[in-house]
Amino acid sequence: MTRFAALFFALGLSAHAATEADVIVYGATPGGFCAAIAAAREGASVILLEPTAHVGGVNTGGLCFSDSNQTVRNTVMGLFDEWHVRVEKDYQQRGVKLPYQVRVKDHTHWTYEPHVAAKITKEMLDEAGVKVMTKRVLNSVNKVGVRITHITTNEGDFAAKVFIDGSYEGDLMAAAGVSWTIGREGRKEFGESLAGKQYPKAKMAISGLGADGKPLPLITADDAGPAEAGDKNVMVYSFRLCVTKDPSNRVPFPKAANYDPARFEVVRRYFAQEKRPHLLWDLYPLPGNKFDANNGIGKQFSMGLVGACNGWSEANEADRAKIWEAHKQYTLEMHHFLSTDPAVPAAIRAEYAQIGLCRDEFAEYGHWSPQLYVREGRRMIGEYVVSQKDIMDEPKKDDAIVVSSFPIDSHDCQRVGTGEFVINEGTIMPVRMAGRKHGYPYHIPYRAITPKAAECDNLLVPVALSCTHVGISSIRVEPTWMILGQSAGIAAALSVKQNLAVQMLPYPALRERLLAQKQVLDLPVLPDLPPEPKGAMNIDPKTLPGIVLDDAQAELKGEWSRSSGFKPHIGTGYLHDDKRADGQSIALFRFKAPKSGRYDLRMAYSAHETRATKVPVTIQRGEGKIVINVDQTQPLPSGEAFRSIGKVELDSGTETTITLSNTGTDGFVILDALQLLESKN
C-alpha cells in the first residue's frame, strides 16, 4: 500500500472506529469457518462475520450425510477429515457406536446429528482463537484502488489486510465490484456437453395445464428454451431437515398456514399415472434414530421448490427472508399433502404421517433447520474458470489447492408443463468414472479463488469461486468447500505475512503450508477395477470391432434387473427393466468417436414376443439430437449378435451420449450392448 493510500485508509476509518484483524471472513459456511480456522492456525488474527444467527451453514443446519462417500476419500483430508475425526470421537466418548470409521477411506456413509456438528464446529473455532460475530449483514465495501480497506455492516465497520468471501451467495465479492455470473452457460461457451438444457428424467404423460389453460402450480415454464442455450436459472434449493419417527423425540410438523390443496394438482396427476409409487423425499438414516431428509435428485417431485430460488443471491436481507419463508411454506404444505391427501397411495401417506421434527435439534428455531440449502449462487469470473474439461479431460493443474472428485450432478432447474406432458429440466445425473463409485479426480487451481488482479487484490473467494454451472455441479459439496476454505485461509495468512497481493503469492510457499495442514494435493493413482465376474462370458466385447458399449459401461438410473438366460449376449449378461414402463429406468453411455464420419448404430438384445416394440434410444452429439425407437421383438439377423437400428454422424473429439430408457414402453426393455461401425454408405 502506498503512503497516500495508507493515510487515506486511516482517515477513512477514524470516524467509524472499525474493528480490525489480519483476515476477515464473511460467511460462516463450512468453507467460511474452515477458512477462518486455517488462517488463525497460521498465526493471523481472524474475525468471522455471519449475516444470520446460524454458524456452520448446512453442515450444522441439517445436512448430516457426508457426500464424501462419492469421492476418492483418501484425497479429502485437511480440516474436513479432522472435523469428521472429532465428530467420531465425540460419539465414541459417549459410548455410541457409529456404522463407519473415519480412518477407513471407503465409500461408507459418514453420518452425524446437527447438534454434534455444531458442537465440533464451535470447539474448533474457539480453539483456533477465531472471533465469531453473528447477525452482521454486509451493507457496503470500501476500496482504495483495487484494495478493500474496510467493509460496513449493520453493526459497524471491519478492516483487514485480506478478506475472504465465505458466503454461498458471493455477497462480499459482488459488493467489492468483482465480476460474477449466475445461472447456466450455453454449450458453446466453454465446449461443455453437460451445459445448456438437460432432460435425463422421463417425460410424464400428464397435462401441466389447468382447466383455464394456464400452467398448474409447481410448473415454472411451458417452454424451457433452446437446448444448447444457457439461462439465469440455478439448481433448486431445499431444506435438509432432521426428522424422526421415534415417538419419544418426535415433534409434529407445524401446521401449514393457508394450505391450498390445489397447489399439488400436478402431483396428484403424477401419482395417478405412477406405476411404482415411492417416497418423494430422500431419507438418510442418522445416529439417534433420525433421518436427514433431502431433495431427491432422481425424483419427479421432491423437497425442492423448483424455480423459487432464482433471485436469492441477488436479493437483499428482507427479500431473502421472503424466499426462505416461501421454501418453508412449500415444505410444510408438501408434507401435509403427502400425509393426508387421498390421491397419495395409502402406504406413502402412512409413512409421511410418522415423520416429525426432532425435539432435540434446533430448539431455538422451533426444531426447523435455520439454513436453506443454497446449492448454487453467484460464481466469480476470476483468474481461471473451472469447466467440464478441467474435470473430465485436463485434471492436472500446477497451482492445485484441492483434489476434488465428487461427480458432476445438478438438481432440477425448471419444470416444464404443456397440455401433453410435464418434464423436469436441468438435472445432471451423477457423472462418475466408469465402474467406480466416485467422480473424476481433478485439481482446482488457486487461480479459481482469486479475482482478476485489476478488480481486487486482497480478496479470496473459495465458495462462490470461478467456475461454470457444470463446474459448480461437481465442486458444490461441503467436503470440497471445506478444503477450498482451508486453502483460502492459509493463502490469506501468507499474503498478510508477506505483504503481497493474493495474486502474487508464490505457489511453492502456499503448497508447503497446505501440506503442513495435512491436505492432499497429488491426483490419486486409482486401483485397478476388479475383474469382470467369471463364468458367464458369452461374447467378449473386447473381441468385437468398432466402438462397443456394453451394459457394464452404462451410467444407470432407476431399477434394472440382471439376467443371462437368453443367448447370445455380450459380456456376462444383460439388464432388463422388469416391464416397468415407468420412465425411470435409464441407461446413459458417453464416448468420443476416434474418427469423424457416418456410423452404423447396432443394438444387441434377445428378441422375444414379450419385448418392448418402441424402446427410445436418444443420440446426442453437441447440439444435434436424434431419437430412434427400436422394436426388440424383431429377430436379429441370422448368426449375428447385433441388429442395425440406424445411421449416425459423429465428430471426433466431441462427446456423444446415447440414452436408452423405458419411457412409454409396452414390454420388457433389454439393455445388452451397442456397437458403432464405420459406415460404408
Side-chain angles (χ1 to χ4, degrees), residues 109-190:
H109 302 143
W110 293 357
T111 56
Y112 45 86
E113 297 162 275
H115 70 272
V116 176
K119 175 187 175 185
I120 298 305
T121 300
K122 184 178 186 306
E123 288 176 355
M124 292 177 69
L125 286 164
D126 289 346
E127 290 169 14
V130 175
K131 185 175 183 179
V132 180
M133 305 177 76
T134 58
K135 300 182 181 179
R136 265 50 175 196
V137 180
L138 180 66
N139 288 338
S140 62
V141 172
N142 299 274
K143 292 171 71 178
V144 174
V146 296
R147 194 165 189 82
I148 301 172
T149 57
H150 66 284
I151 64 176
T152 299
T153 75
N154 61 322
E155 292 287 343
D157 291 353
F158 296 86
K161 297 170 184 173
V162 175
F163 292 80
I164 298 174
D165 188 343
S167 68
Y168 289 123
E169 299 85 2
D171 288 337
L172 177 55
M173 168 195 71
V178 171
S179 298
W180 56 274
T181 187
I182 199 163
R184 302 182 289 176
E185 291 79 10
R187 291 181 193 150
K188 289 182 178 179
E189 208 165 331
F190 287 86

Side-chain angles (χ1 to χ4, degrees), residues 383-404 441-448 466 475 507 511 514 520-523:
E383 292 280 355
Y384 188 90
V385 179
V386 177
S387 66
Q388 182 177 330
K389 71 175 174 60
D390 298 293
I391 297 172
M392 300 181 69
D393 300 320
E394 301 172 13
K396 185 174 175 56
K397 298 292 181 289
D398 292 334
D399 56 342
I401 55 172
V402 172
V403 174
S404 180
Y442 62 98
H443 284 143
I444 297 176
Y446 178 59
R447 288 163 290 159
S466 182
I475 295 167
Y507 177 69
R511 180 182 176 89
L514 297 178
V520 171
L521 298 176
D522 291 332
L523 292 174

Side-chain angles (χ1 to χ4, degrees), residues 627-642:
V627 178
I628 300 172
N629 289 310
V630 181
D631 183 353
Q632 293 191 333
T633 67
Q634 292 296 310
L636 304 180
S638 178
E640 295 193 24
F642 292 85

Side-chain angles (χ1 to χ4, degrees), residues 30 33-34 37 41 59 66-69 71-90 92 98 100-106 108 110-112 120-121 124 402-403 477-487 514-515 517-520:
F33 75 69
C34 283
I37 292 167
R41 289 184 179 182
N59 260 31
S66 172
D67 286 311
S68 66
N69 65 295
T71 67
V72 182
R73 256 199 180 128
N74 60 12
T75 66
V76 190
M77 300 299 289
L79 283 176
F80 170 80
D81 192 68
E82 179 185 336
W83 190 87
H84 273 282
V85 167
R86 294 174 70 141
V87 166
E88 181 184 33
K89 185 178 179 181
D90 182 88
Q92 289 173 341
L98 296 173
Y100 62 87
Q101 293 178 297
V102 175
R103 64 178 177 81
V104 179
K105 306 302 183 188
D106 58 10
T108 308
W110 293 357
T111 56
Y112 45 86
I120 298 305
T121 300
M124 292 177 69
V402 172
V403 174
V477 290
E478 310 317 302
T480 307
W481 270 334
M482 290 173 79
I483 303 172
L484 279 167
Q486 181 180 15
S487 299
L514 297 178
L515 295 173
Q517 285 207 21
K518 300 183 179 179
Q519 289 198 22
V520 171

Side-chain angles (χ1 to χ4, degrees), residues 26 76 364 371 498:
Y26 184 78
V76 190
E364 65 273 39
Q371 178 67 56
Q498 299 183 27

Side-chain angles (χ1 to χ4, degrees), residues 550-600:
D550 188 28
D551 62 275
Q553 299 168 252
E555 298 173 21
L556 301 176
K557 172 186 173 292
E559 299 286 336
W560 289 97
S561 300
R562 178 161 290 281
S563 182
S564 58
F566 283 84
K567 293 179 174 59
H569 58 69
I570 310 303
T572 58
Y574 54 89
L575 301 174
H576 63 85
D577 76 330
D578 265 328
K579 204 176 178 179
R580 292 182 180 87
D582 58 3
Q584 302 299 305
S585 299
I586 300 170
L588 174 68
F589 296 97
R590 302 176 191 275
F591 67 96
K592 290 182 179 179
K595 291 175 60 179
S596 297
R598 189 171 175 81
Y599 284 76
D600 183 20

Side-chain angles (χ1 to χ4, degrees), residues 367 565 667:
H367 311 288

